[in-house]
């Protein structure tokens, strides 16, 4: 098994600084929570000590606590603060950048039992939920109200985890990210106190915007225990279209033109030919194995018809084929399920591999420059890879498939990743459109933000978490 020393520099051995739990802390933890909510069993610890990142060999947390209420979270935080024990919030475990790994030991605080939809306010287009509610669970509860929550990162992630990483996904081109769709939060701070940010009002100019401070903080500033979210009416008409292209460039140029012409497309996803082959094999689809755009259009029947006609014309101008349609709910569900499974489909093409992923985002006008140069770089490396992208908002993902035991392959992949991010930053982009920083992008954030901005972030961290108990070793060192 690889050790952490074989990981990229962004997760150096110095990041590992673990020590056993103080016996007094463990005794107090077990007394407060009991065997039904507190476990030191290796199997449960290991389950909470891995995610979908390429890291291996990181020790699991020392204990797992299953919170069932805000009071449970507050008590767990107070105990950790008293004994200076790290606390790592845990949701569905689907993070990609090592956010939930216990690099400094401590406890994993599992929030998935806090899974109640607390209130629906259809008249105000909002809902209040606990952090363990998943996006699919919320949408099931909304169906009879004629509403939906549009943020769809692919995995059936917890809404608390999605807020913590500022998730977005396939619908972001029209509906925005979690940053745009969280109205208010309940958060437990580093003293075990409960604070509330925001309200159900759609706007406010009262004080600092603490809501957006905690959204995207990756569990380093507090523990989210409640969220109030924006909802949207289900569109009258929904149509999905598939368009094949002779090249990735043609697909990207079509996307750029669609956005620049102001077409309010809901989804616009790019799959390269290798990814299409993997998806076909995994999901038993019959998609043409060439670069594809998977698109979805929302609105009134007339508006959807106008949008599809406009985009079909744009795609034809760039060599795209006639659209293939998926206009029934069953067809659309199958299509998007296959897209969401692209990551796992790609892993199956090389059994035993792990994926080193990246998700750079650039201004839409620079998308072709960045993406095509990154494709050429990946091709020249000889390393297997897959490419998908929420290209409607300039966000794309490469996954480099490596043998996790090969230091040489890891070095090649990290070199590709470094060059891709540097390319994106040179084009006024960002090192992460939606995955977050975690462990893997620490150096990239330093490159993007610069020392003054990083010092400001550290000052906020010190002010809100003076003893450094919340998810230490993440975002910056």
């Amino acid at each position: 098994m690889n050790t952490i020393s074989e990981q990229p520099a962004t997760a150096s051995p110095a990041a590992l600084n673990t020590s056993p739990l103080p016996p007094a802390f463990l005794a107090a933890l077990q007394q407060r929570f009991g065997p039904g909510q507190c476990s030191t069993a290796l199997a449960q610890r290991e389950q909470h000590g891995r995610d979908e990142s390429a890291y291996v060999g990181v020790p699991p947390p020392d204990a797992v606590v299953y919170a069932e209420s805000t009071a449970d979270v507050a008590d767990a935080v107070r105990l950790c603060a008293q004994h200076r024990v790290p606390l790592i919030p845990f949701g569905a475990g689907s993070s990609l950048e090592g956010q939930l790994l216990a690099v400094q030991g401590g406890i994993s605080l599992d929030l998935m039992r806090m899974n109640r939809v607390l209130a629906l306010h259809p008249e105000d287009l909002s809902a209040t939920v606990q952090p363990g509610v998943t996006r699919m669970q919320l949408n099931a509860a909304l169906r009879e109200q004629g509403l939906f929550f549009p943020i769809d990162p692919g995995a059936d992630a917890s809404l608390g985890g999605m807020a913590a990483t500022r998730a977005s996904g396939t619908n972001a081109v029209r509906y925005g990210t979690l940053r745009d769709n969280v109205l208010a939060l309940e958060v437990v701070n580093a003293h075990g106190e409960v604070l509330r940010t925001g309200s159900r009002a759609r706007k406010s100019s009262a004080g600092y915007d603490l809501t957006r401070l905690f959204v995207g903080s990756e569990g380093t500033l507090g523990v989210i225990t409640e969220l109030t979210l924006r909802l949207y009416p289900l569109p009258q008409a929904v149509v999905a279209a598939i368009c094949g292209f002779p090249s990735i460039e043609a697909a990207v140029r079509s996307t750029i033109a669609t956005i620049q012409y102001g077409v309010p497309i809901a989804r616009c996803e790019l799959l390269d030919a290798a990814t299409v082959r993997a998806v076909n094999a995994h999901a038993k689809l019959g998609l043409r194995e060439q670069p594809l755009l998977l698109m979805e259009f929302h609105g009134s029947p007339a508006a959807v018809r106008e949008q599809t006609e406009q985009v079909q014309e744009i795609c034809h101008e760039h060599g795209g084929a006639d659209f293939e349609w998926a206009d029934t709910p069953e067809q659309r569900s199958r299509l998007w399920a296959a897209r969401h499974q692209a990551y796992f489909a790609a892993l199956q093409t090389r059994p035993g591999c792990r994926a080193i992923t990246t998700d750079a985002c650039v201004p839409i006008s620079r998308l072709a420059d960045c993406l095509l140069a990154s494709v050429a770089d990946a091709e020249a490396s000889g390393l297997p890879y897959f490419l998908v992208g929420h290209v409607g908002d300039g966000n794309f993902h490469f996954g480099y498939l490596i043998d996790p035991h090969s230091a040489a392959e890891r070095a090649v992949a990290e070199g590709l990743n470094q060059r891709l991010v540097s390319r994106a930053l040179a084009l006024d982009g960002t090192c992460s459109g939606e995955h977050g920083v975690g462990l893997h992008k620490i150096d990239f954030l330093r490159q993007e933000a610069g020392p003054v901005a990083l010092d400001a972030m550290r000052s906020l961290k010190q002010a809100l978490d003076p003893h450094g108990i919340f998810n230490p070793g993440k975002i910056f060192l």
Side-chain angles (χ1 to χ4, degrees):
M1 177 176 290
N2 285 359
T3 65
I4 195 73
S5 62
E6 293 172 298
Q7 304 302 326
T10 47
S12 66
L16 277 176
N17 182 23
T18 63
S19 58
L21 293 180
F25 167 78
L26 186 56
L29 196 70
Q30 291 172 332
Q31 181 179 7
R32 166 60 179 83
F33 291 99
Q37 287 183 261
C38 179
S39 176
T40 57
L42 181 60
Q44 294 188 49
R45 291 165 49 217
E46 287 182 338
Q47 178 188 349
H48 289 77
R50 59 175 179 262
D51 59 9
E52 295 299 334
S53 70
Y55 292 102
V56 294
V58 181
D62 299 295
V64 178
V65 172
Y66 296 90
E68 297 178 356
S69 66
T70 298
D72 284 351
V73 174
D75 286 347
V77 171
R78 277 193 286 268
L79 285 171
C80 287
Q82 179 184 348
H83 294 273
R84 306 295 191 263
V85 171
L87 181 151
I88 306 163
F90 185 95
S94 56
S95 60
L96 289 163
E97 303 293 351
Q99 279 94 343
L100 56 81
L101 301 183
V103 293
Q104 295 188 24
I107 71 166
S108 176
L109 184 65
D110 190 314
L111 300 160
M112 293 304 288
R113 295 184 186 179
M114 296 177 65
N115 61 357
R116 290 189 296 130
V117 177
L118 299 173
L120 297 179
H121 298 282
E123 68 281 4
D124 292 322
L125 299 178
S126 70
T128 300
V129 303
Q130 291 184 308
V133 173
T134 68
R135 63 174 185 87
M136 291 177 68
Q137 179 188 347
L138 176 58
N139 278 321
L142 294 172
R143 195 168 294 121
E144 293 185 1
Q145 305 288 337
L147 303 172
F148 81 119
F149 181 68
I151 309 305
D152 180 4
D156 190 22
S158 68
L159 291 164
M162 289 169 60
T165 54
R166 203 184 301 136
S168 53
T170 59
N171 278 320
V173 63
R174 177 159 181 163
Y175 298 100
T177 73
L178 255 293
R179 180 189 65 184
D180 310 297
N181 289 283
V182 177
L183 296 170
L185 294 172
E186 178 186 87
V187 179
V188 174
N189 70 12
H191 305 290
E193 302 166 332
V194 179
L195 64 96
R196 292 184 176 273
T197 76
S199 69
R200 289 200 297 114
R202 285 301 178 113
K203 63 179 183 179
S204 172
S205 56
Y208 294 159
D209 192 346
L210 294 179
T211 302
R212 281 169 176 75
L213 176 62
F214 286 105
V215 172
S217 62
E218 301 186 29
T220 64
L221 301 179
V223 182
I224 295 170
T225 53
E226 190 176 294
L227 308 91
T228 299
L229 304 168
R230 292 177 183 264
L231 307 176
Y232 296 80
L234 286 167
Q236 291 177 275
V238 178
V239 172
I242 306 164
C243 187
F245 289 87
S247 66
I248 291 174
E249 180 173 8
V252 172
R253 299 289 182 195
S254 296
T255 302
I256 294 171
T258 296
I259 301 305
Q260 290 178 339
Y261 289 162
V263 181
I265 193 168
R267 285 169 157 166
C268 187
E269 296 288 301
L270 171 69
L271 279 69
D272 72 344
T275 306
V276 176
R277 281 193 294 273
V279 166
N280 278 343
H282 179 76
K284 304 300 187 288
L285 297 180
L287 300 173
R288 285 182 287 182
E289 294 182 353
Q290 61 183 135
L292 295 181
L293 288 181
L294 310 183
M295 296 167 283
E296 194 166 274
F297 304 88
H298 295 179
S300 68
V304 166
R305 183 167 56 253
E306 180 181 7
Q307 293 170 33
T308 56
E309 289 173 354
Q310 284 181 288
V311 178
Q312 176 70 94
E313 183 177 347
I314 291 169
C315 291
H316 279 161
E317 290 174 358
H318 291 87
D322 290 341
F323 285 177
E324 299 176 39
W325 303 99
D327 47 10
T328 69
E330 295 76 16
Q331 290 171 331
R332 291 197 307 274
S333 294
R334 189 161 180 252
L335 177 67
W336 292 114
R339 161 60 186 90
H340 290 328
Q341 293 164 8
Y343 174 80
F344 299 103
L347 291 180
Q348 290 179 357
T349 65
R350 190 180 185 191
C353 74
R354 299 297 292 265
I356 290 181
T357 62
T358 195
D359 73 316
C361 188
V362 295
I364 191 69
S365 64
R366 311 309 301 272
L367 178 62
D369 298 335
C370 190
L371 197 153
L372 295 173
S374 300
V375 168
D377 201 13
E379 286 288 333
S381 75
L383 200 65
Y385 71 94
F386 64 95
L387 166 63
V388 296
H390 314 312
V391 286
D393 56 9
N395 187 195
F396 60 91
H397 308 253
F398 274 80
Y400 307 109
L401 304 178
I402 67 164
D403 176 350
H405 304 290
S406 170
E409 289 192 7
R410 186 177 294 276
V412 171
E414 290 297 344
L416 291 168
N417 199 1
Q418 176 67 53
R419 293 192 293 277
L420 186 154
V421 171
S422 296
R423 197 174 291 124
L425 296 181
L427 297 172
D428 287 332
T430 177
C431 67
S432 179
E434 59 185 9
H435 290 178
V437 176
L439 288 172
H440 191 225
K441 291 180 181 280
I442 290 175
D443 285 348
F444 298 152
L445 179 64
R446 185 181 299 119
Q447 183 181 350
E448 176 175 336
V452 176
L454 277 182
D455 283 346
M457 294 182 200
R458 290 190 182 99
S459 296
L460 287 168
K461 170 72 169 173
Q462 177 64 30
L464 293 176
D465 182 18
H467 301 302
I469 64 169
F470 285 138
N471 209 8
K474 313 299 167 54
I475 300 183
F476 43 72
L477 298 176

